[in-house]
Amino acid sequence: MKVLVIGLGGVTNGGKTTLAEKLKNMLPNCDIISQDDFFKPESEVETDERGFKLYDVLDALYMDEMVTSIHNWMKSPASSGVVTEDPQKTCDNLKNFYILIVEGFLLYNYEPLNKLWNRRYFLTLPYEECKRRRSTRIYQPADTPGYFDGHVWPMYLKYKNELEENASMQVDYLDGTKSQEELLSYVYSDIIKELNKLRE
């Protein structure tokens, strides 16, 4: 049994969840862990001097719990409820592989996670497009006026710069303005290549 751990990170509203779900439907023995499931309750998230809740930082998340969940999955992926019996998806030579897609906006800036990735993808969007998409989404708690410009976008740039400055980190940057089909096709074939390498 071999395990492949894929990171699907990047900008808010970049299409991470949609891409992860589509990949899960196409790949054999594939499961998803979403970083959004590890947010601390609102009462534990810090507020800055402008009254903005600081959600777009590592401290707003139970990162240790997330790492534990990934390790637990890696130890026994077959017991995680991964559906394995779909014959269309499972090419015989990939039956012994289990794939975990971890999707979230802050995956590569937390050291304990960086030992786990087989492949890292990072979705990007230009400012205007990101702001437009963000404005169409309903969040709990809702974005307050100025929140995107005052907190969300600056934090995205900060963490993205950290990533780009880390020369040892191999990250595949993806253009989130491309069609979902194009992104899916690229990432899917890249993962299949990775699986074939592991098989050899």
Side-chain angles (χ1 to χ4, degrees):
M1 182 192 80
K2 288 180 179 170
V3 166
L4 191 73
V5 181
I6 307 289
L8 192 52
V11 69
T12 177
N13 295 275
K16 300 179 293 294
T17 308
T18 306
L19 184 54
E21 292 291 348
K22 289 186 171 181
L23 285 165
K24 182 181 176 177
N25 291 331
M26 290 173 71
L27 291 162
N29 308 336
C30 185
D31 217 345
I32 298 172
I33 287 180
S34 176
Q35 191 172 34
D36 284 359
D37 295 337
F38 297 91
F39 271 113
K40 292 176 180 175
E42 193 180 349
S43 59
E44 287 181 41
V45 176
E46 282 185 43
T47 305
D48 73 3
E49 66 284 354
R50 296 162 299 179
F52 291 149
K53 279 277 178 192
L54 303 180
Y55 272 105
D56 288 54
V57 297
L58 286 167
D59 284 347
L61 297 144
Y62 292 120
M63 291 302 292
D64 294 350
E65 283 181 24
M66 185 173 169
V67 173
T68 303
S69 296
I70 295 169
H71 278 297
N72 289 342
W73 186 95
M74 289 170 77
K75 273 185 232 142
S76 58
S79 67
S80 66
V82 178
V83 180
T84 55
E85 59 271 7
D86 182 346
Q88 296 162 327
K89 283 199 296 194
T90 312
C91 333
D92 283 341
N93 54 10
L94 296 179
K95 275 200 173 115
N96 296 330
F97 284 95
Y98 285 86
I99 302 163
L100 180 63
I101 297 172
V102 182
E103 65 94 8
F105 69 109
L106 261 186
L107 297 182
Y108 312 131
N109 304 75
Y110 188 67
E111 202 46 51
L113 280 178
N114 281 331
K115 305 171 188 72
L116 305 178
W117 310 116
N118 293 91
R119 296 287 289 138
R120 294 182 189 90
Y121 303 98
F122 189 96
L123 282 149
T124 64
L125 281 177
Y127 166 82
E128 291 296 345
E129 175 60 13
C130 185
K131 189 170 185 176
R132 185 192 68 75
R133 289 188 193 182
R134 176 97 183 188
S135 69
T136 65
R137 293 272 291 274
I138 308 295
Y139 287 92
Q140 268 332 92
D143 281 0
T144 50
Y147 188 66
F148 181 82
D149 287 314
H151 176 61
V152 176
W153 189 254
M155 286 300 108
Y156 161 67
L157 293 179
K158 172 186 182 284
Y159 285 115
K160 182 168 174 274
N161 288 340
E162 274 179 25
L163 198 55
E164 289 166 344
E165 283 164 15
N166 185 344
S168 65
M169 184 104 57
Q170 281 190 302
V171 180
D172 202 339
Y173 291 93
L174 306 173
D175 177 355
T177 62
K178 288 188 169 165
S179 72
Q180 287 179 357
E181 289 67 34
E182 210 174 334
L183 289 167
L184 180 64
S185 164
Y186 173 78
V187 176
Y188 175 77
S189 54
D190 200 49
I191 292 172
I192 294 296
K193 266 187 238 160
E194 193 69 21
L195 286 170
N196 288 329
K197 258 193 273 176
L198 280 178
R199 211 176 70 219
E200 292 156 12

